[in-house]
Amino acid sequence: MVAAIATRALPLVDLTSLNDADDVASTAALCAKAVTPAGNVAAVCLWPEFVAQAKHALMGTGIRVATVVNFPGGSLPAEKVVDQIARALADGAEEIDIVMPYGAIMVGQGGDQRAADHLAACRAACGAATMKVILESGSLAKPALIERAARVAVDAGADFLKTSTGKVPAGATPGAARIMLEASRAAGRPVGFKASGGIRDVETAGQYLALADEICGPGWVSPARFRFGASGLLDAILAVLGHGPAAVTSAGY
């Protein structure tokens, strides 16, 4: 059972490193790690300044290159975020993980519209690139706020709803995942889900896969619709599959 979950989870991983100390050497190591004896991950997710390096290193592997903008606080003005997106796309990014201005959702009184306008500008800037919107569900905390944020993101054109930056104390939770998966199901168009922040073992990954199966149907999960944003999870997956020690770390977050 655990091996089956590991096999299923491996191609769904966005192998992530967003550390202050990341550099050319750590980026090369991350890209090498993304190609495993058991199969490749879905994507690597790293700082914008390493997108071009990763794109070159992963050429021909089928592994996508993702980066983050408006990260981690979600507080930059839309024009600066649009510029970040343009630069990342020019360097070869295929997926953009955007922190929505979730503080506006928490304030209310027109905040939803401000967040919607911000994300609409980001959507236009992303063009055909995959736009994953980070709700920062751990900071929103209340189910009603998470539901509102998810609705704003979907209406603004999000391709994925993502739980967390991993930079706040509370990352992904099953409760937040349920709300976001229900929003994906109700979207009326394909909207994926990315669980990120604190997912480090195969058993926990299995809980999120089971939730997706329950809410969206057993045939819904695929790399085009479901991702795990993680670093240590890959080590745990490979250990279960017989390809290395269970070296579970929190390096990527």
Side-chain angles (χ1 to χ4, degrees), residues 34-202:
V35 180
T36 89
N40 296 349
V41 301
V44 295
C45 185
L46 30 61
W47 293 114
E49 55 263 41
F50 304 115
V51 164
Q53 179 189 348
K55 185 72 173 178
H56 178 76
L58 295 171
M59 192 175 301
T61 65
I63 298 170
R64 295 169 68 83
V65 177
T67 193
V68 293
V69 299
N70 205 16
F71 190 93
S75 58
L76 293 177
E79 58 269 23
K80 289 191 176 181
V81 182
V82 165
D83 182 63
Q84 289 180 330
I85 292 168
R87 291 172 182 271
L89 294 178
D91 283 344
E94 299 158 279
E95 302 183 356
I96 307 293
D97 289 31
I98 299 169
V99 183
M100 76 181 301
Y102 60 91
I105 303 292
M106 297 169 74
V107 170
Q109 297 179 338
D112 288 15
Q113 188 60 52
R114 290 195 298 275
D117 292 344
H118 188 286
L119 290 179
C122 293
R123 175 72 272 176
C126 283
T130 299
M131 185 172 90
K132 307 195 200 91
V133 177
I134 305 171
L135 306 191
E136 202 66 286
S137 56
S139 292
L140 292 173
K142 296 179 180 178
L145 291 179
I146 298 169
E147 185 176 357
R148 276 172 46 201
R151 184 171 60 251
V152 167
V154 168
D155 289 347
D159 294 309
F160 274 77
L161 301 176
K162 177 178 173 181
T163 52
S164 177
T165 61
K167 301 293 188 181
V168 298
T173 65
R178 178 174 291 277
I179 293 169
M180 294 163 70
L181 284 162
E182 288 172 347
S184 294
R185 182 186 61 189
R189 61 178 178 84
V191 176
F193 168 72
K194 179 172 173 178
S196 63
I199 301 169
R200 300 184 179 92
D201 59 75
V202 174

Side-chain angles (χ1 to χ4, degrees), residues 20 38 116:
D20 292 341

